[in-house]
Structure formats: structure tokens, C-alpha cells
Amino acid sequence: MAEPPLYPVAGAAGPQGDEDRLGLPDGADAPLDELVGAYPNYNEEEEERRYYRRKRLGVLKNVLAASAGGTLTYGVYLGLLQMQLILHYDETYREVKYGNMGLPDIDSKMLIGINVTPIAALLYTPVLIRFFGTKWMMFLGVGVYALFVSTNYWERYYTLVPSAVALGMAIVPLWASMGNYITRMAQKYYEYSHYKERDGQDPQQRPPRGSHAPYLLVFQAIFYSFFHLSFACAQLPMIYFLNNYLYDLNHTLYNVHSCGTNSQGILSGFNKTVLRTLPRSRNLIVVESVLMAVAFVAMLLVLGLCGAAYRPTEEIDLRSVGWGNIFQLPFKHVRDFRLRHLTPFFIYSGFEVLFACTGLALGYGVCSVGLERLAYLLVAYSLGASASSLLGLMGLWLPRQVPLVSGSGLHLLLAVGLLFWAPMPKALQHMWVLYAAAVLWGVGSALNKTGLSTLLGILYEDKERQDFIFTIYHWWQAVAIFVVYLGSSLPMKAKLVVLLLTLVVAVISYLVMEQKLRRGVVPRQPRIPRPQHKVRGYRYLEEDNSDESDAEGERYGGGGGGGVRGDGAEDEALLVGPRPGPEPAGFGRRPCPYEQAQEGDGPEEQ
């Protein structure tokens, strides 16, 4: 008698006949749904909710990673530059370490590279952002900052100056990409939070205007809370390393006779020797290695944790409008009265940051209480600005003018007070006034920066023009920083008067813009050209094909399109109707296999 097989043969009747122990037929009559059907407890709505929750958490991760990466990058840059300039200022350090190499001349050319190069950024920033993409432009910008840090291992003309020029070229693209990235994350968070409302809508249909504004306010507040901490992070090398080598104020301020509003230039009469003992080269290498490691961590944060700002098809569309158009569009946006009215605010945004770091911290702080307290003044400014960035959330309940006007009003009061205050050198009894002024200036800076970036994201919601807007914003900031660099030798009163005039003009111009918008004046925006794709054999499955060319859309009935249009732009009528049948191929082009099978030649490439 043959033994039964150890495992039953698939498709064969078992010893119990055509049914197994569960009562289901076996073999060819087995119900397929029991094997490959849907999971009986599957809840499609619950799975969809979990999917979009993961998407929202991914957006939050992107915002936190970009904020932390920007903070570490700028903190390392400021900390290294500050330590480098203090060391190179000391006569003994220059003579002992570098002899007659001419460090002051190298430092002046390095500052020229950092401050002058961004003036040309308007010519190449949009092209770079569209070519590399927003995320990769952020990564490359952080990498250039890390390159600048690495060149300080070997301080020579041919290392410091070229890296400073490269850094100047990366400043505007990096921070324009950051602003664009945070705005895009707010828009994506809105999409993932309101996915049910968009289920029955056309994928190309835009969400309601202003719908992403609450998320944008929160994300900008988070970003600037992190970013303003970079000024405190930059002081860590000063606090834990360089302060141990500095003379006290009785030595460094020996020949200083006037401070504050009576001062001229930057620290006139400051002692040429500020170091009691010279730091060992080994210790300097350790500090620079720590800074280099932090810059590398910032690169990894942006590379590994920041997701893409656009979908691949959107990236294709953004690049396909033509490089000539991409180059021209920032200049064409000047016709928009909103940007023209906000330009004084862009300039003031650059003025006030430089005034906090040079005018307030050096002309009032170091000049009266010594170089050893510079770090603590800037930490007070940083913590005040970081904590006050959350005040930008007032826009959730109050009109959007409130943060901007409140910060400007606070700066106006402080600037007027500083215009009539001249602290005495080497007098510590008014130190609390300096700390209070630094904290309050940080509060005003936070309100201005958060309010201005949020306002741009609300006024310009179109994803195809946001990079142009943030490029213009940060380019005007760079121009303002260049003007401050040129006027560094002016008297403090002249600097404060220019600052006050710019602030008053900025506030009045902004309020005029808001008044025009309330009256219903329609801004004149340049039309964004439709994308012109040159890809063959590459098709999408969606009905609304954003990657098809104009000729393809006309040939197949105009169902695609996917053209990128600006606000208020009229839809263009199709000039040519659908043409049945293939067209003859152009000269020198072989027909594709499908066209050969149809014995035709197909349309020419557009």
C-alpha cells in the first residue's frame, strides 16, 4: 500500500475529497478571492488618514531639518569670521605667526569678496535654483560655507580670498532657497491636511488664496526661532576659547575717548594689541576642526533629512519655461507695485542686522564695556530675537500689518534713544542698558524678519514665481549690507540718521501698499511662460499631462496643457485644432517605431 505524500499536491484532491477542512473546494474550483482578495479588515479611510499623517510629519521634519541646518551654517560662519578678525587685528599675532604676509590686506580683500560679490547675484540666482532645484541649491550653499571654514586651516591669500568670493556668490542663492523651501513646506502641509477637500477637484486646480497662511506663519516662526540662535552659537568659540586670551577693558580702551553717538567709524582709538598671550596653533586647529565638523553636520542635515520642495513633474515644468525667461523674470517683477513698495523694507532688513552686529555691539558695547563682553551682548540679542520670533504668531489673530509695524516702531524708539546717548568708555554701571537695548533690538528684528517673509509667502502663492520673489528680497538685503560696508567709516550719528530715514520710508511705503490692496488695485505681474518640453517617448498616465508640449496638446484635443500661468493671466486659445493622422517627419529625423508601424512620420519636435 503506497504511503500518502508528506505535502498535498497543489490542485489535486486530498484524501478528504474535493473540500478541505474549512469546507472550501480545492483544485481548479478554489475561490480566487480567498487567496488574493482584499484583507477582510482593511479600512481604506483609516489607511488614507495614516498615510497623510506620515506626510505631514515628513513636512515638519523637513522644516526642522532646514531650520537647524541654516542655524548651524550661519553660526559657524559668523563664529569663525569673528574669531578670525579679532586674531588678525592683533599686531603681535600678525608679526609672530605670519610675519610680513600682509594679513590686514588679505582680510580687507576677503571682506570685499563677501560683501561685493552678492551684488551680481540677481543675474544667476534664479538660474541656479531652477537648474539644481531648491533642495540641492540649499545643500550646495551650505557646502560653500563649509568650504570657507576649511580654508582657514591654511590662511593664505590664495585660500582665503577665493573662498570668500565663492561664499559671496552663495549667500543670496542659499537664503533665497531657504525662504522658498519654508513657503513650499507650508503649502504642502495644507495639501496633506485638507486632502479630503481636494479629492473631487482637478489636480491642477489651485487651493483657495491665503489657505496656507496659518501654516506659513507657524513655519516661519519656527525657522526664525532657530535662525536667530545662530548668533548665540557663533559666540561659543569666543566664550569658551578666545576670551581666555584677551586683555581687559583698561588695556584695550586706553585711548578710546568717545563712544555711542559721538563715535567715528568702528572703534576709533582701540588698542592694536588685544591678546595677553597668543593661542597655540594646536588649540586653533582643534577649534577650527570643531567648527568644520558642525558645518559638515549641517550639510548632512540638509542632504539626508530635507525632502524635495517640488514633485519631479513640477521641477520639470519649472525648468522648461526657458532659461532666457528664467533670467529675465526677476527684472520683470519690478512692474509689480507690491515689490516696489516693499523694497525699502528689504533694504532696512539688511541695515538693521548689520547695525546690531557692528553699530550697537561695537560702537556702543565694546567701546564702553570692553571686548570681553562682546559675546554676551550678542547672545542677549540672539536669545531675544529667537524667543520673540514666536510673536510672529500674532498674525493668526491680528491683521498682518501688526508684526511688521510693531517691530518697526520698537526699532524707531530704540534708534531715536541711541541717537542721543553717548556712554562713557570703561564705565560698567550702564551695562544693563546695553543688554536691554540688545534684547529689544532682537525683538524688533524677529518681528520684522518673520513678518516680512510671511508677507511675501502670502502675497506670492504661485510656486512658479516664489523663487524669483525671495531672490529679489535677499538681493536687496545684500545690497544694503554692501552699503553698510562702504559706509563703515561714517560717524555714528550719520549711520543712525540713515537707518531712521530708511525705516520711516519703509513703513510709509508698506502702509501705502496695504491701502492699495484694500482699494482693490490689481498688481501687474509678468506672465510665466508655459513649459516647453523636448522629451520624446516619455508620457504620463494622468489626463492632465503637465509634461506635454503645446503641439501634442493641440494634436490630442487640448486635454493636457499643464501650462504654468501667473495670477490673472488669460487662457490662451489654441491656434490650431486637432489634426488627425501623423504628419511627415522633419528633415534628418527618423520616425519612431510606432510611426513606422503606422506607415507615417509623426510630428516634428517642438
Side-chain angles (χ1 to χ4, degrees), residues 97-224:
K97 292 279 188 177
Y98 296 98
N100 58 356
M101 196 176 69
L103 271 184
D105 181 61
I106 294 177
D107 286 345
S108 65
K109 287 185 171 56
M110 182 183 69
L111 291 176
I112 289 174
I114 294 174
N115 292 289
V116 178
T117 311
I119 300 301
L122 195 62
L123 303 176
Y124 59 81
T125 296
V127 176
L128 289 181
I129 293 177
R130 292 289 173 99
F131 182 80
F132 291 109
T134 303
K135 175 197 170 176
W136 291 105
M137 191 66 250
M138 290 163 52
F139 175 70
L140 290 174
V142 174
V144 173
Y145 273 77
L147 172 67
F148 177 76
V149 175
S150 67
T151 56
N152 283 268
Y153 282 110
W154 186 251
E155 295 176 322
R156 295 295 184 271
Y157 183 90
Y158 54 83
T159 58
L160 293 179
V161 176
S163 65
V165 172
L167 177 63
M169 293 183 65
I171 287 175
V172 175
L174 172 61
W175 300 112
S177 301
M178 283 280 186
N180 185 22
Y181 190 81
I182 300 298
T183 305
R184 282 293 300 145
M185 290 302 107
Q187 292 176 334
K188 295 179 80 168
Y189 196 90
Y190 169 81
E191 294 175 7
Y192 298 148
S193 299
H194 299 78
Y195 61 92
K196 291 185 178 179
E197 301 174 7
R198 298 179 60 84
D199 282 345
Q201 297 178 357
D202 183 5
Q204 298 295 328
Q205 183 177 349
R206 300 180 187 275
R209 296 199 64 81
S211 55
H212 73 295
Y215 308 108
L216 181 61
L217 281 164
V218 175
F219 288 175
Q220 291 289 0
I222 293 173
F223 175 76
Y224 280 104

Side-chain angles (χ1 to χ4, degrees), residues 48-70:
E48 187 180 38
R49 187 185 65 82
R50 291 178 179 175
Y51 170 78
Y52 281 105
R53 183 181 64 184
R54 290 194 298 269
K55 287 288 189 180
R56 292 194 298 271
L57 291 176
V59 169
L60 291 176
K61 178 260 298 179
N62 293 341
V63 172
L64 294 175
S67 304

